[in-house]
Amino acid sequence: MILGIDLGTTNSVCAVFKDGKSQLIPNRFGEFMTPSIVSFEKDGKIHIGQSAKTRAALFPKETIKAFKRYMGTDKTYKIHGHLYTPVELSSLIIKHLLEDAENHLNEKITEAIISVPAYFNNIQRSATKQAAELAGLTVDKLINEPTAAAIAYGLQDKPEYTDFMIVDLGGGTFDVSIMEYFDGVLEVKASGGDNFLGGEDFTNVLIELYLTKARIRTTQLNPKAKQKLYYTIEQLKRDISSNRPLIIEPFLAVKADKVEITFEQYKQACEKLLQKISKPIERCLRDSGLEPVEIDEIILVGGASRMGFIKTMVTRMFKKIPRTDIDPDLTIAVGAAIQAGLKAKDKDLGDIVLTDVAPYTLGTGVVNDNDLYNSQGLLFDPIIERNTTVPKPM
Ligand code: AMP
């Protein structure tokens, strides 16, 4: 059995391909989503997932989250005198998911397919594989998150030459991809995004708005109060809608006004973030050489895509209502499991060939022979342009 893992910035999900379909695996608490959070007690006890999330409010300095953003970097986290790398922290999450999966399925699992943002470079991809290996899993295939989403929606069953756009706004990463299906091949035509943009940024905007209106200064808040503020506002963010303003009674142990935030005020405060979302979408479309009307289907993925104005923005840009019928938090794990089924050559799956694109332009440094004094220094000579299809290995 190969485990399909969506190793997310805020939550991780796993699933397997069994009895001809993708099956999500509940964790030890019966939930499909496990928070990607790790917390360390002084005596060495390690909390992972839900118990780490619960501890975060009380022990913010002992708790680490959103470390996926630093995969492939030199960043370390120092807790109780120990240094932890994002790879080690990710491996703890993977190990935790693996334990839950083995208990649920009652069988040993040694192999996994893990999803990564399309934007991840080679160093970030190797770091993800390394994390899985540390957790005792072999990973010979990583799958781009939008590719997994496309498979989850069964886009390969659509008519030939259908073009799709996958817009994935998770907790900390934003991916947009345009794909085409033809002749048994699901091809990523263009991809883009921002791996420092996600639902957390929207939560932070709402927090700023709340603090200003409630007349609270951040200097009045200790770390525990800041955590409480974050989790409370994060929950309230889910309720904000055009027909119901948020009414927030004081909930922190500091003097505060009762606050009302309308949808319009929140949307206006998010204007810059919305631009950061629309720009990569427009660029991706340009790279693909398609017009908005040529995109046959748009799929929204990632918890933060539930925000009403994301759907409205995409609908306006493409004059088409995006699809959201699979739970946007679980879509990628479903797709990763289907890919796992494909790899295991499960007889219930037809042959879908997937191709990917190079997310960055790859090239070499050259010097200009005519530049006698080498005033131009080393020049970049592209060999493989951004969004060129990567050939399939034989
Ligand atoms: P993910 O990692 O895909 O689960 O994304 C988590 C992000 O989605 C977090 O920033 C959540 O605040 C956000 N999110 C989840 N559900 C909603 C919702 N109903 N409305 C707004 N944001 C949401």
Side-chain angles (χ1 to χ4, degrees):
M1 183 81 65
I2 304 172
L3 192 61
I5 301 178
D6 168 11
L7 191 61
T9 307
T10 36
N11 292 295
S12 295
V13 183
C14 59
V16 288
F17 197 81
K18 205 175 161 210
D19 304 329
K21 59 179 192 293
S22 176
Q23 298 189 9
L24 290 155
I25 297 175
N27 63 20
R28 58 200 74 182
F29 303 105
E31 309 275 347
F32 292 135
M33 288 202 285
T34 297
S36 307
I37 304 180
V38 182
S39 187
F40 298 90
E41 279 191 44
K42 205 168 183 162
D43 66 4
K45 190 167 181 340
I46 304 175
H47 297 260
I48 300 161
Q50 191 52 52
S51 65
K53 188 172 179 176
T54 311
R55 275 190 110 243
L58 289 172
F59 305 97
K61 287 198 176 136
E62 298 182 354
T63 307
I64 314 172
K65 57 183 190 123
F67 40 85
K68 178 176 170 179
R69 281 183 160 166
Y70 299 99
M71 283 296 265
T73 71
D74 293 337
K75 185 173 171 72
T76 49
Y77 300 84
K78 192 171 182 183
I79 295 183
H80 304 312
H82 286 274
L83 287 179
Y84 297 96
T85 64
V87 168
E88 286 166 333
L89 297 167
S90 301
S91 85
L92 291 173
I93 300 289
I94 297 171
K95 217 175 193 161
H96 189 81
L97 295 171
L98 178 63
E99 273 170 25
D100 283 352
E102 288 185 334
N103 280 337
H104 179 75
L105 298 164
N106 209 11
E107 81 178 73
K108 178 124 189 76
I109 300 172
T110 55
E111 204 181 334
I113 285 185
I114 303 186
S115 60
V116 289
Y119 240 53
F120 261 24
N121 60 29
N122 273 349
I123 298 168
Q124 294 164 305
R125 285 167 198 262
S126 305
T128 306
K129 280 190 177 183
Q130 208 187 331
E133 278 154 20
L134 271 177
L137 283 169
T138 315
V139 176
D140 61 34
K141 179 138 181 69
L142 296 170
I143 184 169
N144 278 344
E145 288 165 2
T147 307
I151 308 177
Y153 270 88
L155 298 187
Q156 64 281 2
D157 298 330
K158 293 275 171 183
E160 299 270 286
Y161 297 100
T162 308
D163 291 300
F164 318 99
M165 175 176 258
I166 317 287
V167 177
D168 178 355
L169 190 62
T173 52
F174 170 54
D175 270 303
V176 50
S177 295
I178 294 177
M179 313 180 97
E180 185 172 73
Y181 182 63
F182 65 95
D183 204 14
V185 177
L186 188 57
E187 181 176 286
V188 182
K189 293 184 90 166
S191 67
D194 185 338
N195 54 30
F196 278 87
L197 178 67
E200 287 171 4
D201 300 290
F202 287 85
T203 307
N204 288 331
V205 164
L206 194 55
I207 288 173
E208 282 299 316
L209 200 57
Y210 170 72
L211 291 177
T212 310
K213 285 193 171 231
R215 288 195 267 179
I216 299 172
R217 277 170 285 114
T218 31
T219 48
Q220 291 174 271
L221 305 174
N222 63 22
K224 279 180 200 165
K226 281 185 187 159
Q227 283 279 350
K228 184 171 183 193
L229 171 71
Y230 188 89
Y231 284 115
T232 309
I233 297 291
E234 205 263 338
Q235 286 305 315
L236 288 170
K237 182 184 73 170
R238 296 166 191 243
D239 294 334
I240 198 159
S241 74
S242 49
N243 46 20
R244 194 161 25 113
L246 281 181
I247 311 284
I248 312 174
E249 299 285 349
F251 63 95
L252 296 165
V254 292
K255 192 173 170 294
D257 293 341
K258 179 178 166 182
V259 163
E260 180 179 316
I261 300 174
T262 65
F263 179 75
E264 273 312 312
Q265 287 166 338
Y266 175 50
K267 191 180 162 202
Q268 206 170 4
C270 292
E271 203 47 55
K272 272 206 183 110
L273 292 178
L274 291 175
Q275 276 177 22
K276 282 177 93 173
I277 290 171
S278 63
K279 289 243 159 65
I281 295 180
E282 285 159 6
R283 194 176 85 160
C284 193
L285 197 60
R286 269 200 310 277
D287 284 353
S288 73
L290 295 171
E291 293 296 322
V293 290
E294 291 178 279
I295 302 291
D296 300 295
E297 200 135 23
I298 304 150
I299 289 164
L300 296 188
V301 185
S305 73
R306 291 196 185 93
M307 288 183 293
F309 45 57
I310 303 292
K311 197 168 181 175
T312 310
M313 184 176 86
V314 172
T315 306
R316 285 214 179 110
M317 285 172 94
F318 293 90
K319 312 221 170 353
K320 203 164 276 137
I321 296 173
R323 283 186 66 182
T324 50
D325 30 302
I326 302 181
D327 182 329
D329 276 312
L330 309 176
T331 314
I332 290 169
V334 168
I338 297 176
Q339 173 72 67
L342 195 65
K343 175 142 196 300
K345 296 249 183 317
D346 194 293
K347 59 182 174 3
D348 295 302
L349 279 169
D351 271 349
I352 314 164
V353 183
L354 297 170
T355 66
D356 263 328
V357 288
Y360 299 99
T361 299
L362 303 172
T364 185
V366 292
V367 284
N368 182 353
D369 272 353
N370 299 325
D371 177 18
L372 294 179
Y373 302 105
N374 196 21
S375 58
Q376 294 173 341
L378 206 58
L379 301 172
F380 179 64
D381 188 16
I383 296 173
I384 301 172
E385 296 284 351
R386 173 163 56 89
N387 284 325
T388 303
T389 304
V390 178
K392 290 264 340 145
M394 298 305 284

